[in-house]
């Protein structure tokens, strides 16, 4: 979980505000200028209305004395109309400002997410994306879905803060004409109360956003109780009472923690502000009753006192809102900068410009390849030598952690070897243009994507530029054995594969795997030359997987195919099989050859085969 937002230091906040509004102006100069104008005008009108209402009140005694037809009554009515007009303009500008800041904020949110998406997808490799520090920064993109954290809210928060500040300081300036001492005391008390309350608000906000252990524990028990992942064990083991008790206990601890944040200083500051406000109003009333000031001026000064004091709540709320959004904006900027640096430092980026279309034609070779995921991690591959003949099928077997999936990642150029090299038709892989080479590979990874899109798109995204090839999409689905299932869905090929959508549906694990296979086959139909299947049918039973792979060998005849599987009924059909052990090729040959050798492959094969030949005794 990311740390909770905290109000930035003033110098840093000023820099962030400048960056924020510079981006806002670049996105929409008209919207930004219009927002600034409405904020400026809207903040001044209340001060003007204080003076106008004071004049209206001051005219009332003369109007009462002169009667309805007197000049004093006409003057009072005129000022009253002006006060009404100013109030109406204030309401209109307030609504307009809300609309403008909402639209501007939404554009900023969209722009920030697009920038981060672009930066995150820029590197050809994925090493930096899998680093925890980078992953934590990039996760900020999802936080724009949480309304109180949206960077776009800074626009509204800043305008509200500006308006509140004008009212706070402007009220004190007006009051200074009556008593500079009272105005200074009111301003100082207001700023102190704001400071103390803001400290409490930051701690409470951090708590609610899960920045301390109590909040995280409370959220954990709640999420555990209401999300599907834990539902089965909660019911089977009767954990509902346990979770409710733990949640209630965490809630009570949180409540005590929040109450403890209300320190005496914040209470003392607000009490002092209230005392100065009430004392000032009392003193002002006394001076008016003594005739020292007129009733009109007394009304204006009273409004100024109330306005300056009442801005406390507005400034605190606006500062909190702005701080939350500004912190998210800052982390967006940090994430984009980190991904830009990762893109420039990507070892795959810009390593070659040789066209990769049509490759391989002869072979792919791993020559003395070594790889580890970090400097402190153990070697996954160690001096690996392997030749993959073009147009043939190769199966890879081995215990977990021997580097089978890593080998595929290196082939896809998602990572670069630490040592050694990979060649394609004798040319170093680093010399090939990385993006076209990746398009030449059609992989089905273990953690394949399940797009919450139509069945048609789920397959067509194997080659996005040819999603209009409906015949090819259907053919790929038929080859993968999933076409008949799609035909009977509620909206057929346009059915969204997500139960969360209206008329949407979900597929079984095996059906999703067949869909992923269809996507890879669609890529093959449009130019991919290497088909990679990493546990391609783990959700199918052994017989179904063997039959599916048999069909694949027929469908993909003449295509370079690499399959990783723990099931020997599948791998035995490959033209060549390798056994990985300790990051190297320990054995290689056909199924019959490897069984005859009596090595690791033969032992694993016999162990697996024995499970299917055991006869239960009674």
């Amino acid at each position: 979980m990311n740390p909770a937002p905290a109000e930035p230091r003033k110098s840093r906040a000023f820099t962030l505000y400048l960056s924020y509004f510079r981006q806002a102006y670049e996105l929409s100069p008209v919207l930004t200028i219009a927002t600034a104008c409405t904020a400026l005008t809207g903040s001044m009108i209340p001060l003007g209305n204080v003076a106008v209402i004071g004049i209206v009140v001051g005219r009332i005694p003369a109007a009462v004395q002169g009667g309805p037809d007197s000049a004093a009554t006409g003057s009072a009515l005129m000022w009253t109309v002006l006060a009404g007009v100013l109030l109406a303009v204030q309401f209109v500008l307030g609504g307009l400002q809300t609309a403008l800041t909402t639209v501007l904020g939404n554009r900023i949110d969209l722009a920030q997410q697009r920038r981060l998406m672009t930066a995150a997808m820029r590197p050809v490799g994925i090493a930096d994306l899998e680093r925890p520090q980078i992953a934590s920064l990039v996760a900020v993109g999802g936080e724009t879905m949480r309304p109180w954290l949206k960077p776009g809210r800074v626009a509204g928060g800043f305008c509200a803060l500006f308006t509140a500040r004008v009212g706070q300081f402007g009220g004190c300036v007006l009051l200074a004409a009556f008593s500079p001492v009272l105005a200074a005391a009111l301003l100082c008390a207001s700023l102190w109360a704001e400071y103390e309350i803001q400290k409490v608000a930051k701690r409470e906000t951090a708590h609610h956003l899960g920045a301390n252990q109590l909040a995280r524990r409370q959220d954990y028990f709640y999420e555990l109780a209401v999300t599907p992942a834990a539902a089965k064990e909660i019911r089977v083991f009767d954990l509902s009472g346990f979770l409710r008790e733990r949640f209630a206990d965490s809630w009570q601890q949180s409540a005590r923690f929040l109450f403890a944040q209300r320190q005496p200083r914040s209470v003392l500051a607000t009490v002092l502000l209230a005392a100065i406000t009430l004392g000032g109003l009392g003193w002002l009333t006394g001076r008016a009753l003594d005739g020292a000031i007129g009733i009109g001026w007394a009304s204006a000064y009273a409004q100024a006192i109330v306005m300056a004091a009442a801005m406390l709540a507005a400034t605190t709320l606006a500062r909190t809102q702005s701080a939350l959004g500004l912190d998210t904006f800052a982390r967006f900027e940090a994430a984009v900068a980190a991904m830009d640096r990762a893109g420039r430092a990507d070892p795959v980026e810009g390593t070659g410009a040789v066209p990769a279309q049509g490759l391989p034609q002869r072979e792919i070779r791993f020559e003395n390849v070594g790889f580890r995921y970090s400097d402190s991690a153990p070697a996954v591959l160690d001096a690996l030598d392997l030749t993959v003949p073009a147009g043939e099928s190769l199966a890879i077997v081995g215990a977990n952690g021997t580097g089978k999936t890593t080998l595929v990642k290196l082939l896809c150029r998602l990572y670069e070897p630490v040592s050694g090299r990979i060649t394609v038709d004798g040319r170093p892989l680093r010399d090939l243009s990385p993006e076209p080479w990746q398009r030449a590979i059609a992989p089905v990874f273990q953690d394949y994507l399940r797009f919450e899109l139509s069945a048609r798109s789920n397959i067509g995204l194997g080659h996005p530029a040819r999603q209009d090839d409906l015949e090819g999409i259907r053919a790929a689905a038929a080859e993968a054995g999933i076409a008949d299932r799609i035909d009977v869905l509620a909206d057929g090929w346009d059915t969204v594969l997500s139960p969360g959508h209206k008329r949407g549906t979900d597929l079984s694990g095996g059906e999703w795997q067949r869909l992923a296979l269809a996507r890879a086959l669609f890529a093959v139909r449009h130019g991919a030359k290497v088909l990679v299947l990493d546990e391609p049918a783990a959700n199918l039973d052994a017989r179904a997987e063997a039959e599916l792979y048999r069909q694949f060998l027929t469908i993909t005849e003449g295509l370079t195919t690499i399959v990783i599987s723990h099931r020997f009924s599948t791998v035995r059909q490959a033209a060549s099989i390798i056994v990985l052990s300790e990051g190297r090729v320990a054995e290689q040959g056909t199924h019959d050859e490897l069984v005859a050798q009596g090595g690791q492959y033969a032992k694993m094969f016999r162990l697996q085969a024995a499970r299917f030949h055991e006869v239960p005794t009674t």
Side-chain angles (χ1 to χ4, degrees), residues 10-32:
K10 287 183 173 57
S11 58
R12 178 170 174 263
F14 180 73
T15 302
L16 287 173
Y17 272 125
L18 284 180
S19 177
Y20 182 92
F21 286 109
R22 182 174 62 251
Q23 289 189 29
Y25 184 81
E26 291 171 354
L27 284 172
S28 177
V30 174
L31 266 179
T32 305

Side-chain angles (χ1 to χ4, degrees), residues 226-440:
V226 302
T227 51
K232 295 188 292 294
E233 293 193 41
I234 287 174
R235 285 152 179 80
V236 171
F237 293 116
D238 191 22
L239 301 178
S240 56
F242 168 81
L243 290 177
R244 280 194 298 268
E245 290 175 5
R246 289 301 178 93
F247 175 78
D249 182 62
S250 298
W251 186 90
Q252 289 172 359
Q253 292 184 53
S254 295
R256 288 193 292 269
F257 172 81
L258 291 176
F259 183 77
Q261 302 308 303
R262 298 287 179 178
Q263 297 178 355
R265 290 180 58 179
S266 64
V267 176
L268 179 61
T270 52
V271 168
L272 177 62
L273 176 61
I276 292 176
T277 301
L278 293 175
L281 289 173
W283 182 28
L284 181 64
T285 302
R287 296 286 288 170
L289 291 175
D290 291 342
I293 56 173
I295 187 174
W297 284 111
S299 172
Y301 294 146
Q303 291 179 79
I305 292 174
V306 172
M307 175 183 290
M311 288 300 114
L312 172 63
T315 53
T316 301
L317 179 61
R319 283 182 62 180
T320 300
Q321 176 179 324
S322 297
L324 290 170
L326 203 62
D327 184 85
T328 306
F329 175 77
R331 284 189 284 133
F332 256 111
E333 294 296 292
V336 171
M339 289 310 306
D340 283 341
R341 288 193 299 270
R344 290 191 295 270
D346 183 9
V348 182
E349 187 80 17
T351 51
V354 177
Q357 286 79 3
L359 300 179
Q361 295 182 358
R362 300 194 308 274
E363 64 181 16
I364 300 171
R365 292 178 62 90
F366 289 75
E367 301 176 356
N368 201 36
V369 169
F371 180 78
R372 64 182 73 236
Y373 283 97
S374 68
D375 293 339
S376 59
V380 181
L381 299 178
D382 182 18
L384 176 97
D385 289 305
L386 171 65
T387 299
V388 183
E392 296 185 13
S393 57
L394 171 73
I396 305 175
V397 298
N400 291 333
T402 54
K404 301 185 298 297
T405 298
T406 299
L407 186 149
V408 171
K409 290 179 179 179
L410 294 178
L411 178 63
C412 294
R413 299 211 68 188
L414 301 177
Y415 293 89
E416 285 291 280
V418 173
S419 59
R421 66 174 189 167
I422 304 172
T423 65
V424 180
D425 293 345
R427 187 185 296 273
L429 184 57
R430 287 181 60 85
D431 290 349
L432 302 183
S433 182
E435 290 88 351
W437 171 250
Q438 289 179 335
R439 302 298 90 76

Side-chain angles (χ1 to χ4, degrees), residues 600-611:
Q600 294 183 40
Y601 179 88
K603 291 178 181 178
M604 290 187 291
F605 173 72
R606 292 192 182 102
L607 182 63
Q608 191 172 107
R611 295 202 300 267

Side-chain angles (χ1 to χ4, degrees), residues 31-83:
L31 266 179
T32 305
I33 293 173
T35 300
C37 290
T38 55
L40 181 61
T41 307
S43 65
M44 300 303 297
I45 286 179
L47 293 175
N49 229 0
V50 166
V52 170
I53 291 174
I55 293 174
V56 171
V57 173
R59 295 285 195 276
I60 289 176
V64 171
Q65 185 176 1
D69 297 327
S70 66
T73 299
S75 176
L77 288 175
M78 181 190 69
W79 286 104
T80 301
V81 170
L82 179 58

Side-chain angles (χ1 to χ4, degrees), residues 360 389-394 479 521 524-525 528-531 533 548-562 573-575:
E392 296 185 13
S393 57
L394 171 73
E479 291 169 350
L521 290 173
V524 169
R525 296 179 72 88
K529 297 298 183 182
V530 181
L531 179 63
L533 309 174
L548 181 64
Y549 190 59
R550 186 191 63 77
Q551 294 173 0
F552 267 140
L553 290 179
T554 302
I555 295 168
T556 61
E557 186 174 359
L559 185 72
T560 306
T561 305
I562 300 174
Q573 302 177 62

Side-chain angles (χ1 to χ4, degrees), residues 163-183:
T163 300
R165 281 279 184 255
V166 171
Q168 184 181 40
F169 282 84
C172 291
V173 169
L174 290 176
L175 184 60
F178 169 68
S179 170
V181 174
L182 177 60

